[in-house]
C-alpha cells in the first residue's frame, strides 16, 4: 500500500498587516489563506530583528515593511524564500542585489500611491504659502484677538519646479491647473514632447529650476546619486522666499542644510512628509512654525493602503504559483 506524503503548505509571513482588516482586502486575504499557511504580525508594532529572523525561517514568501530592512542576513535566514513583497513604492531599505543573488523576487506597489501622494504635496504647498499650520496654532493658542493674523502668499501664477516628472510629479501638475502656474521640471531623462505639451511643462537644468522656482516639489527616488541631491549649495541657489516640498524620500535633502536655509530666512518655508532618519526628525525643524511636518502619510488613505496590501498579496500569489510577479523590482531570470 502506497501512502502519499502530504505536500507542505507554503508559508506566507506578513510582518505588519493593516491595523483594521476591511472589506477591501478581505477577499484577497481569504483567498491566500485558503492556499497558503499565512502568519500575520501585530499591526501595532514592527518585528525586532531576532523575531523577524525566527518568523521567516520557513517562509516561502514575505510581505514586509521598509522598517524590516531585509538584507543578506535576512535572506540567508529564509532558505525557502521565493519573494519579498515590499509594502510601498520605495525599496531603498531592501538589499536588492543580495536578494537577486539568492533568486528571490523583490516587488513593490507603484500604482495605488500616485494621486494620494500628489494630494499631500499639494496640501503641503498650500499649508506653507497660506500658513495654514500657523493659523491653526494661532487659533488654538488663543491669539486670534491679540496679534495680527498670519498672512500668506498666493500660489496663483507662480512657478512650480518639479524634480522628477514621473507619475506623482505629473499628477501634481494636473492638480494645480487652476492656479495657472508656470511649470518647469528637471530629471535625468526628458519626457516626451507630447507629455510636455499636455502638462504645459518646460524641461530645464537643475540650476535653472533652483533659480527660478517659487515652489520646488521633489518626486525622485532615493539612490546613491540622489542622496543629498539638495544640499547647502543647491538651497543657496534657490530663489529667496521659495518653498521646498518633499514627499519622496527624506535623504534626498540634506536636513541640516535645510534647517540652516530656513533659519537664515533664505527660504520662506518647507513642507515635509519624509525625513532622513524616520521616525526621527531634526529637533530644530520641530520648533519652526514655517515648516509643516507630516508622518510619511503620502499614501495614507484607507483606499490606497488597502490596494497596496492587495497588490503585495497578488505579487506573492503569482510567484508561489509559478508565474512572474506583477511589479518586479529585480529580474532573477537573468541573474547569475
Amino acid at each position: 500500500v502506497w501512502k502519499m506524503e502530504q505536500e507542505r503548505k507554503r508559508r506566507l509571513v506578513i510582518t505588519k498587516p493593516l491595523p483594521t482588516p476591511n472589506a477591501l482586502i478581505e477577499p484577497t486575504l481569504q483567498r491566500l489563506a485558503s492556499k497558503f499557511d499565512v502568519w500575520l504580525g501585530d499591526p501595532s508594532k514592527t518585528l525586532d530583528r531576532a523575531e523577524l529572523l525566527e518568523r521567516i525561517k520557513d517562509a516561502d514568501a514575505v510581505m514586509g515593511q521598509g522598517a524590516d530592512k531585509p538584507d543578506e542576513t535576512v535572506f540567508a535566514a529564509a532558505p525557502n524564500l521565493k519573494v519579498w513583497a515590499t509594502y510601498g513604492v520605495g525599496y531603498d531599505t531592501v538589499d536588492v542585489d543580495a536578494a537577486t543573488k539568492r533568486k528571490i523576487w523583490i516587488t513593490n506597489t507603484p500604482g495605488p500611491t500616485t494621486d494620494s501622494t500628489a494630494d499631500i504635496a499639494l496640501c503641503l504647498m498650500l499649508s506653507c504659502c497660506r500658513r495654514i499650520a500657523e493659523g491653526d496654532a494661532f487659533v488654538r493658542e488663543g491669539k486670534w484677538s491679540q496679534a495680527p493674523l498670519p498672512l500668506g502668499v498666493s500660489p496663483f501664477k507662480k512657478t512650480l519646479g518639479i524634480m522628477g516628472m514621473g507619475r506623482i510629479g505629473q499628477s501634481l501638475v494636473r492638480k494645480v491647473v487652476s492656479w495657472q502656474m508656470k511649470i518647469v521640471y528637471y530629471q535625468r531623462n526628458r519626457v516626451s514632447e507630447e507629455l510636455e505639451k499636455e502638462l504645459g511643462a518646460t524641461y530645464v537644468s537643475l540650476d535653472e529650476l533652483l533659480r527660478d522656482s517659487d515652489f520646488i516639489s521633489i518626486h525622485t527616488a532615493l539612490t546613491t546619486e540622489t542622496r543629498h541631491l539638495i544640499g547647502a549649495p543647491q538651497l543657496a541657489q534657490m530663489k529667496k522666499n521659495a518653498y521646498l516640498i518633499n514627499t519622496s524620500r527624506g535623504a534626498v535633502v540634506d536636513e541640516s542644510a535645510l534647517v540652516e536655509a530656513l533659519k537664515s530666512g533664505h527660504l520662506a518655508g518647507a513642507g515635509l512628509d519624509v525625513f532622513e532618519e524616520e521616525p526621527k526628525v531634526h529637533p530644530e525643524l520641530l520648533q519652526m512654525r514655517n515648516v509643516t511636518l507630516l508622518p510619511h502619510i503620502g499614501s495614507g488613505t484607507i483606499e490606497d493602503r488597502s490596494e497596496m496590501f492587495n497588490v503585495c498579496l497578488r505579487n506573492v500569489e503569482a510567484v508561489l504559483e509559478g508565474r512572474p510577479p506583477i511589479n518586479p523590482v529585480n529580474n532573477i531570470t537573468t541573474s547569475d
Side-chain angles (χ1 to χ4, degrees):
V1 178
W2 295 91
K3 184 177 180 180
M4 297 294 292
E5 182 180 348
Q6 186 175 3
E7 183 180 353
R8 180 182 75 89
K9 202 171 185 181
R10 286 165 294 181
R11 185 166 175 78
L12 164 61
V13 170
I14 301 177
T15 65
K16 191 175 181 181
L18 288 175
T20 306
N22 60 66
L24 297 175
I25 68 171
E26 279 300 327
T28 308
L29 192 55
Q30 287 177 7
R31 187 174 72 248
L32 264 70
S34 70
K35 299 178 178 181
F36 311 118
D37 176 16
V38 179
W39 182 84
L40 295 172
D42 184 343
S44 67
K45 70 173 187 177
T46 299
L47 295 178
D48 63 35
R49 192 71 162 183
E51 187 176 4
L52 175 65
L53 296 179
E54 176 64 23
R55 289 293 180 186
I56 69 170
K57 65 182 182 182
D58 57 352
D60 298 274
V62 175
M63 175 180 153
Q65 305 271 334
D68 295 325
K69 298 181 179 178
D71 55 12
E72 169 60 25
T73 301
V74 171
F75 298 135
N80 297 322
L81 193 62
K82 306 292 190 301
V83 56
W84 182 287
T86 302
Y87 183 68
V89 179
Y91 48 88
D92 45 282
T93 62
V94 180
D95 189 337
V96 177
D97 289 340
T100 304
K101 289 176 183 176
R102 290 182 173 273
K103 303 289 186 179
I104 298 168
W105 287 105
I106 303 297
T107 68
N108 67 343
T109 61
T113 63
T114 299
D115 284 323
S116 55
T117 304
D119 287 343
I120 288 295
L122 180 67
C123 290
L124 288 171
M125 288 174 64
L126 275 178
S127 181
C128 289
C129 72
R130 295 301 307 273
R131 302 174 67 180
I132 291 173
E134 291 179 75
D136 178 83
F138 197 83
V139 174
R140 294 177 189 276
E141 294 167 6
K143 296 180 179 178
W144 195 339
S145 60
Q146 302 171 13
L149 295 174
L151 298 180
V153 298
S154 171
F156 189 66
K157 292 191 175 180
K158 298 296 196 304
T159 298
L160 170 60
I162 301 289
M163 290 185 59
M165 191 63 91
R167 295 170 296 101
I168 297 170
Q170 292 170 32
S171 179
L172 177 58
V173 170
R174 293 186 176 100
K175 291 176 188 294
V176 302
V177 167
S178 64
W179 294 349
Q180 298 180 33
M181 302 186 84
K182 177 182 179 182
I183 307 297
V184 297
Y185 78 98
Y186 167 78
Q187 62 182 18
R188 187 165 51 186
N189 298 312
R190 186 172 181 173
V191 302
S192 68
E193 291 185 15
E194 292 78 13
L195 183 57
E196 285 184 347
K197 185 176 180 180
E198 176 195 339
L199 298 174
T202 302
Y203 182 72
V204 296
S205 68
L206 178 57
D207 288 344
E208 290 176 287
L209 183 142
L210 294 168
R211 182 192 67 207
D212 297 337
S213 299
D214 299 292
F215 297 84
I216 293 178
S217 191
I218 302 173
H219 304 284
T220 183
L222 177 62
T223 65
T224 54
E225 290 78 20
T226 62
R227 182 175 294 274
H228 286 190
L229 179 63
I230 301 299
Q234 291 75 29
L235 292 164
Q237 284 181 267
M238 287 178 63
K239 182 187 288 189
K240 183 171 173 57
N241 292 324
Y243 299 92
L244 184 69
I245 310 299
N246 190 7
T247 57
S248 61
R249 284 293 183 265
V252 174
V253 177
D254 182 336
E255 221 163 82
S256 295
L258 175 60
V259 166
E260 293 305 314
L262 291 162
K263 285 168 62 176
S264 71
H266 181 65
L267 296 187
L272 308 174
D273 185 43
V274 290
F275 305 90
E276 275 200 77
E277 298 181 23
E278 295 176 11
K280 295 179 183 178
V281 179
H282 194 293
E284 290 189 75
L285 286 175
L286 296 171
Q287 307 304 317
M288 294 179 173
R289 288 292 183 93
N290 60 336
V291 179
T292 298
L293 308 172
L294 296 177
H296 202 152
I297 57 171
S299 62
T301 68
I302 293 172
E303 295 85 356
D304 278 7
R305 292 291 171 90
S306 298
E307 182 56 19
M308 289 164 63
F309 195 90
N310 283 329
V311 169
C312 278
L313 295 181
R314 288 195 290 267
N315 276 309
V316 165
E317 187 175 32
V319 172
L320 293 189
E321 292 183 347
R323 305 189 307 275
I326 304 163
N327 306 105
V329 168
N330 59 346
N331 186 353
I332 68 169
T333 62
T334 59
S335 62
D336 295 330

